[in-house]
Amino acid sequence: MNKSMTIIEIIIALWLKLRTKRKVQIVFLILLMILSGLSEVITLLSLIPFLTVLTQPEKLFENKYIQNISSEFGLSTYQDLIVPIICTFAFAALFTSIIRLLNLWSTYRLSAAIGIDISCEAYERTLYQPYEVHISRNSSEIIATTTTQVSRTISVINVILQMLTSIIVVIGIIFSLIFINLTVG
């Protein structure tokens, strides 16, 4: 690759080299990242009622969303709301943790799979060089260089995917904080 390529050009070049199966896996991973961002939002939105239950349970009915939900389920006192709100927050936090772990596992697994694809292609290209190339080069240097470059590529892919996850989660958190600020404030 050209030394003066930007990160975007490198990502596009890598995308074009990927097999269709890996592209589909990346799309599913992006959907999982979006689900991760949404689960963070749900956890954050369930945090306000949870903290209210712990600090000032009598103020729960001042929130119009809590009023609507409690009237829908026939809950009339704040004591009736304590267990459902705590369970909702616990479930949201558990669900978010599971999604986050699944996202992390999928990211590492996909990075490794792409690395395997790149390694196999590099091995094939090296193996099918003309005989003159093989006798003129030091095989240990070729192996060391290939191994180093593939490891770096896997690391970069992993970092890019984790960064994309973080960006999606941050956007979700920012929007939920703005929503909370508008509804509470």
Side-chain angles (χ1 to χ4, degrees), residues 102-172:
L102 182 62
N103 190 0
L104 192 61
W105 177 79
S106 299
T107 299
Y108 281 117
R109 187 168 166 91
L110 182 58
S111 299
I114 292 170
I116 289 169
D117 292 345
I118 292 170
S119 295
C120 289
E121 185 177 336
Y123 177 73
E124 256 183 49
R125 285 186 180 197
T126 303
L127 191 62
Y128 290 118
Q129 293 288 320
Y131 180 70
E132 294 79 29
V133 173
H134 287 291
I135 60 173
S136 67
R137 289 186 181 169
N138 184 349
S139 61
S140 62
E141 284 181 17
I142 294 171
I143 292 169
T145 302
T146 304
T147 303
T148 303
Q149 293 302 326
V150 169
S151 293
R152 286 182 185 164
T153 304
I154 293 169
S155 296
V156 168
I157 291 169
N158 195 23
V159 167
I160 289 170
L161 291 174
Q162 286 182 5
M163 190 171 60
L164 185 59
T165 299
S166 298
I167 289 169
I168 291 171
V169 167
V170 165
I171 289 170

Side-chain angles (χ1 to χ4, degrees), residues 13-15 20 28 31 33 41 47 54 71 87-88 93-94 98 114 131 140 159 161 165 170 181:
L14 185 60
W15 177 261
T20 304
F28 280 118
L31 292 175
M33 291 174 187
V41 168
L47 181 65
L54 294 179
S71 66
C87 288
T88 301
L94 181 65
I98 291 170
I114 292 170
Y131 180 70
S140 62
V159 167
L161 291 174
T165 299
V170 165
N181 190 33

